[in-house]
Amino acid sequence: MQFMLLFSRQGKLRLQKWYVPLSDKEKKKITRELVQTVLARKPKMCSFLEWRDLKIVYKRYASLYFCCAIEDQDNELITLEIIHRYVELLDKYFGSVCELDIIFNFEKAYFILDEFLLGGEVQETSKKNVLKAIEQADLLQEKTETMYHSKSFIGFKKAY
Amino acid sequence: MEVVNLQDLVRGIRNHKEDEAKYISQCIDEIKQELKQDNIAVKANAVCKLTYLQMLGYDISWAAFNIIEVMSASKFTFKRIGYLAASQSFHEGTDVIMLTTNQIRKDLSSPSQYDTGVALTGLSCFVTPDLARDLANDIMTLMSHTKPYIRKKAVLIMYKVFLKYPESLRPAFPRLKEKLEDPDPGVQSAAVNVICELARRNPKNYLSLAPLFFKLMTSSTNNWVLIKIIKLFGALTPLEPRLGKKLIEPLTNLIHSGISVLPPIPAPGEGVLVPRGPEWVSALAMVLTAVLTKLSVAVLISLSSGMPNHSASIQVRPSLGGDHGVPHLKYLGLLAMSKILKTHPKSVQSHKDLILQCLDDKDESIRLRALDLLYGMVSKKNLMEIVKKLMTHVDKAEGTTYRDELLTKIIDICSQSNYQYITNFEWYISILVELTRLEGTRHGHLIAAQMLDVAIRVKAIRKFAVSQMSALLDSAHLLASSTQRNGICEVLYAAAWICGEFSEHLQEPHHTLEAMLRPRVTTLPGHIQAVYVQNVVKLYASILQQKEQAGEAEGAQAVTQLMVDRLPQFVQSADLEVQERASCILQLVKHIQKLQAKDVPVAEEVSALFAGELNPVAPKAQKKVPVPEGLDLDAWINEPLSDSESEDERPRAVFHEEEQRRPKHRPSEADEEELARRREARKQEQANNPFYIKSSPSPQKRYQDTPGVEHIPVVQIDLSVPLKVPGLPMSDQYVKLEEERRHRQKLEKDKRRKKRKEKEKKGKRRHSSLPTESDEDIAPAQQVDIVTEEMPENALPSDEDDKDPNDPYRALDIDLDKPLADSEKLPIQKHRNTETSKSPEKDVPMVEKKSKKPKKKEKKHKQKERDKEKKKEKEKKKSPKPKKKKHRKEKEERTKGKKKSKKQPPGSEEAAGEPVQNGAPEEEQLPVRGTSAPPPRTCDIRGSLQEDSQVTVAIVLENRSSSILKGMELSVLDSLNARMARPQGSSVHDGVPVPFQLPPGVSNEAQYVFTIQSIVMAQKLKGTLSFIAKNDEGATHEKLDFRLHFSCSSYLITTPCYSDAFAKLLESGDLSMSSIKVDGIRMSFQNLLAKICFHHHFSVVERVDSCASMYSRSIQGHHVCLLVKKGENSVSVDGKCSDSTLLSNLLEEMKATLAKC
């Protein structure tokens, strides 16, 4: 997979993950072009389109479009499956996920994606394992956060 | 300042919908302020907000350095955010990316798996060739990490590393292969993924893995893995047909059991199921059943009963018609068809109507798929029909992109495999002519190229082509005025050329000549006009010849007069090429006119200008000219001039102007007279130089009477009536004609057949006994003689033309079965080896360098101090089998030799050490103490201090024996003060497994964390390494004792200190004092200081003559100040430290070091 984009029906980008290094300018151009093309398509049309030398696989979930770019030899259906799997993961993590969850916790959405895919390849096929890894990392984060807070409090006391 | 968090920012942006840009620029200003603060939490928050803004399209590249700062935070919370920001915003052009190398390396070796994980994830997004090279070895080590979580990430990221740094593929491949049999399914799937991706690009290198994958396929239960493996086999089977047969059974099994087992469906797009024989057909059929029924697509499979006859046929009928078909299944159905088409064209061709229907679909994706399919479906028989269908779509099509796509497809379809399917080129030419009616197409040049190609290569069609082209030229006013802005006028280029080159076929050459000389022509683009001019002469030459032969001298003169009258309009062209050709030809024609006036026959000579035929040349012909033997293309024809001369003899100007450059030594004191004379000469020269823009307006205005563009009358054309080029035959009529012709042919054939039957003599014709009409039976309407493109003599047939040299995957075309050469090892960050006997001169520059850079927080001291005597003692104590002992000693000696050779001159050492110095802050190398270097391996200990009381010890194990070492376990006896961090649940006496095996000659690094309570005293820990050595003779279990020595100096971090701060520290009076004195020192003071800096991690604060103050800090924050004085033959060290025990221990250690000097 080359990249994954999430955008709203209004064309607002909600998440972007690039597995090929591109300059910001190129990324913006590609994003703009794709958002336009995908949004112009009618609901009854198929989920695939050929764009430049890539294949675009997209699917709409509620108000969000999930859009992936794959190479010619890659499989469209598996990509749809990947998208679906990611949506399921988001759903499990946030508990019936909605667009706002992704807007306000966009970094979490990235972390989940990073546990699921790495370098554009599926990293972990088990939903359970992905969520477990995320939970544990979150736990670690909370632990260090509380540690940090207590420390800074002590530092504060010392200073005065 | 109130710090806004991410949620507030998002809310703020949503509340400021009207003035979003203003609000965000305000936010960015705030963020910039936050980034300036020292608080890492504030910084991380700022970076997190930036990451969000980056997604909204704002540039955050200016914050790259801040991102790195957050990446290097020790807290996971911040590190996570830092790496996320980096993975989102870094790319190969980010210049600070190289600063991350050591940070990433440090995180990769972090004891926390989530630190490592987050670093790997981030790296996968922004890995550059440099990072790939520097980190390849670290990542490779992680592939054998104890945690599967890390292993699978490391395996996956290796693919990215291979792409960026192909040299790493061979060294890493054995381990990657090993991971195919990893006990963890996630790691296994990752390895399958990577190898599958590699094999897809260069399948031939991975054929040897087929048996392994075969095993995996039959044993694996993970569908994602199965699909990848099937995909891999799809790439391998074309290379090894036998594989296909073997696959049938497992695949059939899979499908039988798998309809419910395979949730993600191996789509037809896999390209897996390329049938390779009748057996394969059934396998394919079943796969498709499984796949397609799941897709609720109606599949009709009729395997004909005649399997032995190899005439199995499949019919796949996706529910293409009607609205009830799920759209993307329709798409996939078409995709499937295009796969089947390659092997079973007939079964697809029967669905031609369905596919043509798809061209009417609303969905462009489906239309394009259908078009693709049509390309493969055409035959001699149905070409005309299909193209006719397409032509109606061209008329109907909305949107230029799709119409252009149709146009290119029509041309592709017709021209494929050298016009294989075209039986009637007249029809094709008229199709091309019809296509010229397309407005706004970008593909005018494509049509033109086709016209030229057909006219040149099909001799029989030239007459017809010329008549069509002349008609086109005649209607050029239509084309020129209405389509000036788009590419269709390119067609005129071809038309003009064809009419000129094959002018002998023209019906009314004079008429065409006039058409080509119309004033309107000058509105065409320059390159087309140029062709017009050139071909007008060709035409003129042939008319001249005709007239002269017919004895019409007047007629000939009239044509010449026409030329003389009309050519000046081209002479005035703005296009240089046109101008040049036209003026040249005008002069020629004027000359001819003079000769004609004298009644001299000129036609012969004029047509001699264009004698001979132009032949098509294959586009790759030039490349294929073989280099004659004995010709060295790289050899100099003329030896280049030596450098010393090149100053004077610059390349000569092609034309004159030589004289303007005068030799330098020319007398500079040229008098006034001389100057005036030269000025005059220059003015003269300028006046004569047509290219010199003069200050005064030129008297002659050459282009005075040029008609401006605005003078050209523009005729408004009513386009509501569909454009039909008058007088041009429509292609449709050919379809009818063709049908009739074929019918006639058939009748004739039948007749002939009957005759033959009666005679029963000649049966040479193929298929003549079959009543069906196959492709071969359709004889072309014209005597088609497709001239092959010319290739040079001895052209070498090669396939390499198709390969793109820039293909990144090409670099990975590497033979993986060859054994690894020594030179192929991955670059490993080496620790500088400094022997105690290192010559003093070498140390000097380093010290200076350090004292010059007081701001560099952390400095590296790499040191290998080997207590060789101890080692030898141990050697004696140990009593292994006497047989091996001698062997071992030999090796030991070799080891020593090797170490010495590792010493490098100081310059190169600095260079090699530089990247380490840049990064890996907070990482401190502990000097190596008391490590035994057992013959089969060497333990090389370095430690990195991470937190207050934790030390990471990295042990490099190198196998110097010829046996494979495995099952290695490290057990260390904890002391009260120092404990080894062990996995949870294991007792103190358990050994900690080493997470890898060591084949002979391989080294690897294992890291262990130790917790140290108090650092004021030196520590010694005893440990044992047990392992199984396995060679051909068998396996033995062996043990190896070693000792880890944590000296007090090793807890010190070289910390620079300014003299004023140093003075304050001494004045504070909190420090206890102690001193030592060592006699008999002959070493220079500078070297002495260097030694202290090096071995004991001090930095020089100030130095006055033979007296210097030095400073260092312990990991737990003790300050250590030294005053070093040198007398005649002695050195005294006075120390002050916040802990007296630490100080005295340190001084003892220092004494030992100094005593050796």
Side-chain angles (χ1 to χ4, degrees):
Chain A
M1 191 186 292
Q2 304 246 336
F3 56 85
M4 187 190 235
L5 301 174
L6 258 73
F7 49 86
S8 68
R9 233 175 349 158
Q10 289 78 36
K12 281 252 162 74
L13 197 60
R14 295 298 180 214
L15 188 140
Q16 54 172 347
K17 192 81 200 176
W18 300 81
Y19 296 109
V20 281
L22 292 171
S23 71
D24 283 349
K25 211 174 139 196
E26 282 169 284
K27 285 182 189 173
K28 261 189 219 167
K29 197 176 156 225
I30 293 173
T31 311
R32 205 181 319 119
E33 224 173 281
L34 272 184
V35 169
Q36 257 175 19
T37 349
V38 170
L39 287 179
R41 289 174 66 84
K42 301 201 173 63
K44 280 237 175 126
M45 291 183 175
C46 70
S47 297
F48 320 111
L49 47 116
E50 278 141 72
W51 178 82
R52 298 197 188 169
D53 53 346
L54 298 175
K55 290 195 287 197
I56 306 296
V57 178
Y58 71 91
K59 197 160 165 69
R60 191 179 140 184
Y61 286 87
S63 58
L64 268 185
Y65 282 87
F66 289 69
C67 174
C68 293
I70 53 172
E71 278 162 62
D72 189 42
Q73 293 164 319
D74 291 330
N75 187 323
E76 295 89 347
L77 281 178
I78 289 189
T79 314
L80 271 183
E81 187 68 27
I82 289 173
I83 292 178
H84 188 71
R85 179 61 61 99
Y86 181 48
V87 174
E88 281 179 337
L89 285 170
L90 289 174
D91 210 50
K92 276 257 169 65
Y93 183 83
F94 288 110
S96 66
V97 67
C98 66
E99 198 184 332
L100 281 178
D101 284 325
I102 295 173
I103 297 172
F104 281 104
N105 300 291
F106 84 110
E107 82 276 17
K108 297 279 184 210
Y110 277 121
F111 295 149
I112 296 170
L113 186 61
D114 286 342
E115 287 300 326
F116 177 44
L117 300 175
L118 193 136
E121 296 286 334
V122 176
Q123 177 192 166
E124 181 54 72
T125 53
S126 146
K127 268 187 275 187
K128 216 174 70 192
N129 283 356
V130 175
L131 290 172
K132 209 174 84 192
I134 286 290
E135 272 164 28
Q136 281 179 356
D138 281 351
L139 218 64
L140 194 64
Q141 172 164 346
E142 272 158 33
K143 212 168 69 192
T144 50
E145 257 172 13
T146 47
M147 252 172 67
Y148 165 76
H149 285 310
S150 59
K151 256 193 188 172
S152 63
F153 182 64
I154 294 164
F156 179 81
K157 260 173 120 179
K158 257 188 191 168
Y160 291 88
Chain B
M1 188 176 65
E2 202 180 320
V3 175
V4 178
N5 70 13
L6 175 72
Q7 271 72 24
D8 299 334
L9 175 82
V10 175
R11 232 169 265 132
I13 293 173
R14 291 169 75 82
N15 291 338
H16 289 76
K17 284 224 167 77
E18 295 81 38
D19 53 345
E20 192 185 288
K22 195 181 145 207
Y23 177 75
I24 285 176
S25 72
Q26 196 185 322
C27 286
I28 288 181
D29 286 342
E30 277 171 29
I31 287 170
K32 279 183 181 164
Q33 288 303 316
E34 285 166 28
L35 286 176
K36 278 180 196 155
Q37 291 189 31
D38 280 337
N39 190 334
I40 190 73
V42 176
K43 256 184 202 167
N45 182 50
V47 164
C48 185
K49 286 190 283 183
L50 280 178
T51 315
Y52 187 79
L53 293 179
Q54 192 258 354
M55 189 167 65
L56 298 184
Y58 292 87
D59 175 41
I60 65 159
S61 55
W62 51 269
F65 192 77
N66 301 103
I67 292 173
I68 294 181
E69 275 184 308
V70 177
M71 273 164 78
S72 50
S74 54
K75 302 279 180 294
F76 176 70
T77 321
F78 309 137
K79 192 181 285 297
R80 204 182 190 189
I81 289 169
Y83 271 103
L84 174 64
S87 68
Q88 291 302 106
S89 64
F90 285 6
H91 51 84
E92 284 189 11
T94 309
D95 43 5
V96 291
I97 218 165
M98 58 178 186
L99 297 180
T100 60
T101 316
N102 281 288
Q103 180 56 42
I104 295 171
R105 176 174 292 128
K106 196 185 144 202
D107 288 333
L108 290 183
S109 56
S110 160
S112 157
Q113 60 168 333
Y114 292 103
D115 281 355
T116 314
V118 98
L120 284 173
T121 309
L123 188 61
S124 73
C125 291
F126 57 79
V127 59
T128 63
D130 283 344
L131 281 177
R133 190 194 57 232
D134 294 342
L135 295 172
N137 195 53
D138 301 66
I139 300 171
M140 204 169 100
T141 315
L142 288 179
M143 280 165 76
S144 356
H145 198 273
T146 42
K147 300 260 170 47
Y149 177 81
I150 300 297
R151 285 207 300 273
K152 75 181 178 208
K153 279 178 191 274
V155 167
L156 274 180
I157 201 176
M158 267 328 256
Y159 179 60
K160 294 269 163 186
V161 172
F162 295 150
L163 283 179
K164 297 287 173 191
Y165 179 57
E167 289 87 337
S168 60
L169 179 57
R170 274 172 49 77
F173 194 71
R175 193 169 292 179
L176 185 61
K177 210 166 112 184
E178 208 178 282
K179 294 296 138 201
L180 283 176
E181 290 170 299
D182 196 283
D184 184 83
V187 181
Q188 202 181 38
S189 129
V192 170
N193 255 333
V194 171
I195 293 184
C196 172
E197 286 304 306
L198 288 169
R200 213 171 71 179
R201 317 291 180 180
N202 303 294
K204 66 174 190 309
N205 301 331
Y206 299 86
L207 266 179
S208 61
L209 288 181
L212 190 57
F213 276 104
F214 195 80
K215 205 178 94 194
L216 275 177
M217 183 170 78
T218 44
S219 62
S220 175
T221 50
N222 184 331
N223 296 321
W224 299 82
V225 174
L226 273 177
I227 287 164
K228 279 280 175 185
I229 296 175
I230 294 175
K231 199 168 168 182
L232 178 84
F233 277 124
L236 294 183
T237 36
L239 297 170
E240 180 56 278
R242 279 174 301 173
L243 211 58
K245 274 188 188 165
K246 277 201 155 186
L247 282 174
I248 298 166
E249 203 205 317
L251 269 184
T252 328
N253 285 343
L254 265 181
I255 288 146
H256 277 311
S257 63
I259 295 179
S260 53
V261 184
L262 279 172
I265 312 101
E270 285 302 344
V272 179
L273 309 152
V274 184
R276 312 204 72 78
E279 301 95 326
W280 255 100
V281 174
S282 57
L284 167 78
M286 279 182 257
V287 172
L288 284 175
T289 329
V291 169
L292 298 178
T293 41
K294 184 111 175 77
L295 290 170
S296 74
V297 175
V299 186
L300 302 172
I301 297 157
S302 60
L303 289 166
S304 73
S305 52
M307 275 285 274
N309 295 339
H310 294 212
S311 56
S313 77
I314 316 162
Q315 290 179 20
V316 183
R317 177 193 286 269
S319 53
L320 297 174
D323 292 333
H324 54 272
V326 184
H328 68 244
L329 299 186
K330 209 183 213 178
Y331 176 91
L332 291 173
L334 289 168
L335 201 64
M337 279 183 153
S338 66
K339 299 283 169 192
I340 304 167
L341 184 70
K342 284 173 197 147
T343 46
H344 295 80
K346 284 199 176 143
S347 53
V348 177
Q349 270 161 4
S350 56
H351 299 294
K352 192 181 66 198
D353 294 336
L354 271 175
I355 294 162
L356 284 170
Q357 265 177 36
C358 288
L359 287 178
D360 294 322
D361 202 283
K362 278 179 298 188
D363 192 340
E364 198 172 301
S365 294
I366 289 175
R367 290 199 304 251
L368 291 177
R369 272 271 137 249
L371 267 181
D372 249 10
L373 206 48
L374 284 178
Y375 175 82
M377 275 174 55
V378 288
S379 63
K380 284 187 180 177
K381 215 163 87 182
N382 62 18
L383 175 73
M384 283 189 172
E385 193 191 339
I386 288 177
V387 172
K388 186 186 166 191
K389 246 318 210 260
L390 290 179
M391 290 298 280
T392 58
H393 281 282
V394 171
D395 287 338
K396 280 192 288 184
E398 292 162 17
T400 45
T401 27
Y402 179 56
R403 206 163 55 169
D404 279 355
E405 186 64 32
L406 273 170
L407 190 151
T408 43
K409 264 284 142 32
I410 290 176
I411 289 179
D412 280 353
I413 286 173
C414 294
S415 63
Q416 65 177 311
S417 25
N418 226 350
Y419 308 105
Q420 190 192 347
Y421 300 116
I422 295 184
T423 50
N424 189 334
F425 277 93
E426 279 190 25
W427 163 82
Y428 185 45
I429 294 274
S430 39
I431 285 287
L432 288 176
V433 171
E434 264 179 60
L435 286 176
T436 61
R437 289 177 315 170
L438 268 187
E439 266 191 74
T441 179
R442 288 178 292 119
H443 295 301
H445 61 275
L446 209 62
I447 304 175
Q450 282 292 300
M451 286 174 169
L452 285 171
D453 200 41
V454 172
I456 295 167
R457 294 174 58 195
V458 186
K459 283 185 179 155
I461 201 66
R462 284 181 191 167
K463 193 170 180 352
F464 179 77
V466 165
S467 70
Q468 293 292 297
M469 293 305 121
S470 66
L472 260 187
L473 285 178
D474 212 18
S475 60
H477 61 283
L478 275 174
L479 291 157
S481 56
S482 63
T483 56
Q484 169 80 80
R485 268 154 282 112
N486 57 50
I488 203 68
C489 57
E490 291 288 332
V491 173
L492 292 175
Y493 177 99
W497 192 87
I498 291 170
C499 285
E501 186 64 26
F502 308 117
S503 51
E504 67 271 18
H505 298 299
L506 271 175
Q507 297 288 338
E508 298 172 43
H510 198 276
H511 185 71
T512 310
L513 183 68
E514 274 185 30
M516 283 172 80
L517 287 170
R518 279 194 200 120
R520 184 70 53 80
V521 170
T522 51
T523 60
L524 287 171
H527 66 283
I528 298 179
Q529 281 187 57
V531 171
Y532 263 71
V533 173
Q534 193 73 11
N535 285 286
V536 155
V537 203
K538 290 185 197 164
L539 209 52
Y540 166 70
S542 83
I543 295 172
L544 214 57
Q545 193 151 29
Q546 271 179 20
K547 299 276 181 196
E548 259 182 34
Q549 274 167 359
E552 298 174 34
E554 273 179 32
Q557 279 176 10
V559 179
T560 314
Q561 189 55 46
L562 179 72
M563 291 285 280
V564 173
D565 289 346
R566 297 284 176 84
L567 274 175
Q569 65 186 350
F570 294 110
V571 175
Q572 291 156 2
S573 168
D575 191 283
L576 278 178
E577 179 82 19
V578 180
Q579 209 184 94
E580 190 190 5
R581 287 189 192 188
S583 28
C584 182
I585 285 159
L586 185 61
Q587 291 313 310
L588 179 76
V589 175
K590 278 181 181 164
H591 184 68
I592 293 169
Q593 200 171 28
K594 274 182 209 159
L595 291 177
Q596 275 180 332
K598 292 173 196 161
D599 274 340
V600 182
V602 285
E604 280 299 321
E605 282 173 56
V606 177
S607 23
L609 282 175
F610 307 105
E613 201 165 299
L614 298 175
N615 289 321
V617 176
K620 287 163 191 162
Q622 179 64 43
K623 253 200 276 174
K624 299 207 171 182
V625 179
V627 178
E629 244 178 88
L631 175 65
D632 182 5
L633 288 174
D634 295 326
W636 290 104
I637 297 172
N638 290 318
E639 280 296 322
L641 297 165
S642 65
D643 286 349
S644 56
E645 285 170 322
S646 60
E647 271 287 300
D648 303 312
E649 299 198 25
R650 283 201 209 126
R652 289 168 166 256
V654 181
F655 300 113
H656 53 88
E657 291 195 330
E658 256 318 87
E659 280 137 88
Q660 287 171 347
R661 235 188 296 130
R662 305 222 146 88
K664 278 178 191 164
H665 51 78
R666 211 177 181 282
S668 53
E669 65 283 335
D671 49 344
E672 282 295 311
E673 230 180 73
E674 171 71 14
L675 278 176
R677 202 178 56 77
R678 263 192 252 164
R679 208 176 290 129
E680 204 47 44
R682 195 166 59 240
K683 269 186 190 164
Q684 199 64 37
E685 198 188 285
Q686 282 171 2
N688 293 335
N689 189 344
F691 300 111
Y692 195 89
I693 300 165
K694 290 137 196 121
S695 48
S696 57
S698 165
Q700 4 147 239
K701 275 190 182 165
R702 288 180 72 198
Y703 303 126
Q704 213 169 18
D705 47 3
T706 310
V709 183
E710 56 269 33
H711 295 297
I712 300 166
V714 178
V715 183
Q716 289 297 324
I717 295 162
D718 187 4
L719 286 173
S720 58
V721 194
L723 281 172
K724 290 245 163 113
V725 184
L728 291 182
M730 297 302 294
S731 59
D732 286 1
Q733 71 193 58
Y734 284 97
V735 181
K736 270 183 211 154
L737 280 174
E738 185 69 15
E739 271 165 18
E740 282 169 24
R741 193 177 66 84
R742 282 183 193 170
H743 187 66
R744 269 202 314 278
Q745 265 181 359
K746 204 176 164 188
L747 286 179
E748 271 172 38
K749 225 185 295 164
D750 285 351
K751 259 189 223 165
R752 258 183 284 162
R753 197 165 52 232
K754 269 178 201 163
K755 273 181 197 167
R756 236 196 331 268
K757 261 189 183 172
E758 285 160 16
K759 291 180 185 176
E760 284 198 344
K761 272 180 185 173
K762 285 177 187 174
K764 278 181 188 173
R765 278 209 134 198
R766 270 205 294 162
H767 302 294
S768 54
S769 58
L770 291 169
T772 48
E773 188 184 21
S774 71
D775 271 3
E776 283 84 352
D777 290 332
I778 305 168
Q782 287 92 13
Q783 187 54 46
V784 185
D785 166 31
I786 299 179
V787 183
T788 46
E789 293 169 306
E790 280 204 343
M791 278 297 202
E793 283 175 48
N794 318 324
L796 305 164
S798 61
D799 306 325
E800 289 191 4
D801 304 332
D802 309 328
K803 289 189 181 166
D804 177 9
N806 296 325
D807 184 5
Y809 305 110
R810 209 180 166 193
L812 286 180
D813 191 358
I814 295 167
D815 184 7
L816 295 164
D817 297 331
K818 259 195 313 193
L820 276 175
D822 284 345
S823 56
E824 283 185 296
K825 279 186 183 155
L826 287 176
I828 301 169
Q829 285 266 316
K830 294 227 171 66
H831 297 282
R832 257 180 291 170
N833 299 325
T834 325
E835 309 275 286
T836 16
S837 59
K838 198 172 180 182
S839 64
E841 290 77 28
K842 283 180 184 172
D843 282 341
V844 178
M846 232 169 71
V847 177
E848 279 175 355
K849 198 175 168 193
K850 278 178 182 165
S851 49
K852 272 180 200 161
K853 291 182 188 169
K855 277 196 177 167
K856 196 164 270 180
K857 282 180 195 153
E858 258 72 45
K859 294 227 166 97
K860 296 279 91 74
H861 289 267
K862 273 131 266 151
Q863 180 182 21
K864 259 189 203 165
E865 203 181 16
R866 277 172 196 283
D867 193 342
K868 280 166 194 161
E869 276 182 24
K870 238 183 220 171
K871 245 187 269 167
K872 274 180 190 162
E873 267 173 39
K874 270 183 198 161
E875 196 101 56
K876 280 171 201 161
K877 274 180 206 162
K878 261 188 289 171
S879 53
K881 289 148 212 162
K883 226 164 100 192
K884 274 188 178 175
K885 200 173 174 184
K886 197 177 159 192
H887 192 52
R888 285 181 175 183
K889 266 188 184 161
E890 272 171 22
K891 275 186 180 157
E892 174 67 10
E893 269 163 31
R894 231 181 290 155
T895 315
K896 281 178 202 162
K898 218 176 174 181
K899 288 216 176 90
K900 270 175 203 157
S901 67
K902 270 184 187 168
K903 269 206 282 179
Q904 289 170 325
S908 67
E909 213 171 68
E910 272 313 311
E914 202 60 55
V916 187
Q917 287 210 340
N918 282 342
E922 294 166 32
E923 190 180 334
E924 182 76 2
Q925 250 67 41
L926 293 179
V928 179
R929 282 127 308 193
T931 45
S932 73
R937 68 192 79 193
T938 49
C939 303
D940 184 7
I941 307 182
R942 57 195 161 96
S944 62
L945 304 180
Q946 296 231 318
E947 287 182 28
D948 292 357
S949 55
Q950 279 201 340
V951 181
T952 305
V953 176
I955 303 176
V956 177
L957 299 164
E958 185 177 356
N959 183 359
R960 293 181 186 278
S961 71
S962 56
S963 342
I964 295 177
L965 301 185
K966 54 186 195 179
M968 288 186 277
E969 277 195 356
L970 194 79
S971 48
V972 178
L973 273 177
D974 290 350
S975 70
L976 280 175
N977 197 16
R979 277 189 301 113
M980 186 180 189
R982 295 186 170 82
Q984 276 189 335
S986 55
S987 88
V988 192
H989 305 290
D990 288 346
V992 180
V994 178
F996 47 78
Q997 300 185 352
L998 284 177
V1002 172
S1003 69
N1004 205 338
E1005 188 189 89
Q1007 295 189 342
Y1008 300 92
V1009 178
F1010 286 82
T1011 315
I1012 314 282
Q1013 293 292 322
S1014 156
I1015 61 157
V1016 297
M1017 281 195 297
Q1019 289 284 319
K1020 268 183 196 159
L1021 290 185
K1022 275 188 182 170
T1024 314
L1025 181 75
S1026 62
F1027 56 92
I1028 299 167
K1030 196 181 166 192
N1031 55 17
D1032 297 341
E1033 293 157 29
T1036 50
H1037 197 270
E1038 289 187 48
K1039 271 187 181 175
L1040 198 68
D1041 294 327
F1042 62 87
R1043 218 179 283 179
L1044 292 171
H1045 186 158
F1046 300 93
S1047 71
C1048 286
S1049 308
S1050 61
Y1051 302 123
L1052 295 184
I1053 304 169
T1054 318
T1055 317
C1057 184
Y1058 293 109
S1059 50
D1060 47 348
F1062 189 76
K1064 262 184 201 161
L1065 205 62
L1066 288 178
E1067 279 164 17
S1068 68
D1070 302 341
L1071 309 177
S1072 52
M1073 204 180 137
S1074 178
S1075 58
I1076 50 160
K1077 193 171 177 186
V1078 186
D1079 290 326
I1081 288 181
R1082 266 171 233 112
M1083 194 184 258
S1084 77
F1085 188 55
Q1086 192 160 29
N1087 293 334
L1088 209 67
L1089 290 183
K1091 254 193 167 17
I1092 295 173
C1093 286
F1094 201 82
H1095 292 301
H1096 301 285
H1097 307 181
F1098 277 88
S1099 62
V1100 178
V1101 179
E1102 219 169 359
R1103 188 190 154 185
V1104 185
D1105 297 330
S1106 60
C1107 185
S1109 51
M1110 302 178 97
Y1111 175 78
S1112 187
R1113 239 185 110 191
S1114 80
I1115 50 170
Q1116 290 180 350
H1118 303 105
H1119 302 283
V1120 188
C1121 307
L1122 293 184
L1123 184 68
V1124 185
K1125 279 184 215 155
K1126 191 175 187 300
E1128 279 281 301
N1129 271 329
S1130 66
V1131 174
S1132 67
V1133 182
D1134 298 315
K1136 275 193 173 183
C1137 177
S1138 32
D1139 187 295
S1140 58
T1141 330
L1142 178 65
L1143 182 65
S1144 59
N1145 281 325
L1146 269 174
L1147 288 178
E1148 278 311 303
E1149 281 171 24
M1150 217 170 280
K1151 203 170 175 178
T1153 316
L1154 293 174
K1156 277 186 229 155
C1157 295

